[in-house]
Amino acid sequence: MEKNSYQCCFCDEQIISDVTELVVVANWDKDKSIQQEQQMFCHMECLKKAVSSKFPLYIADLVD
């Protein structure tokens, strides 16, 4: 994959525009020194499909 291209972590397809970034932090409830982060990218539509319909995904309303 090219340096400035992005792959969706849900559908595995390339993201052409409107790249959405997810940042996952492991050990959030622990001391900052043992927390680990990973940056991932996805299509907003894939994120909407992946989360529970009961989860308030406010960001989706702001980018539509």
Side-chain angles (χ1 to χ4, degrees), residues 1 5 7-9 21 24 31 38-39 41 46 54-57 60 63-64:
M1 192 157 289
S5 65
Q7 180 177 350
C8 180
C9 64
E21 176 189 10
V24 177
D31 187 74
Q38 182 174 352
Q39 178 185 38
F41 303 97
C46 291
K54 296 178 183 177
F55 183 82
L57 191 61
V63 296
D64 285 339

Side-chain angles (χ1 to χ4, degrees), residues 27-47:
N27 297 315
W28 179 257
D29 58 334
K30 307 286 191 300
D31 187 74
K32 204 164 185 68
S33 64
I34 62 170
Q35 292 179 358
Q36 297 293 320
E37 292 184 6
Q38 182 174 352
Q39 178 185 38
M40 299 177 283
F41 303 97
C42 67
H43 299 103
M44 181 57 74
E45 288 304 312
C46 291
L47 179 60

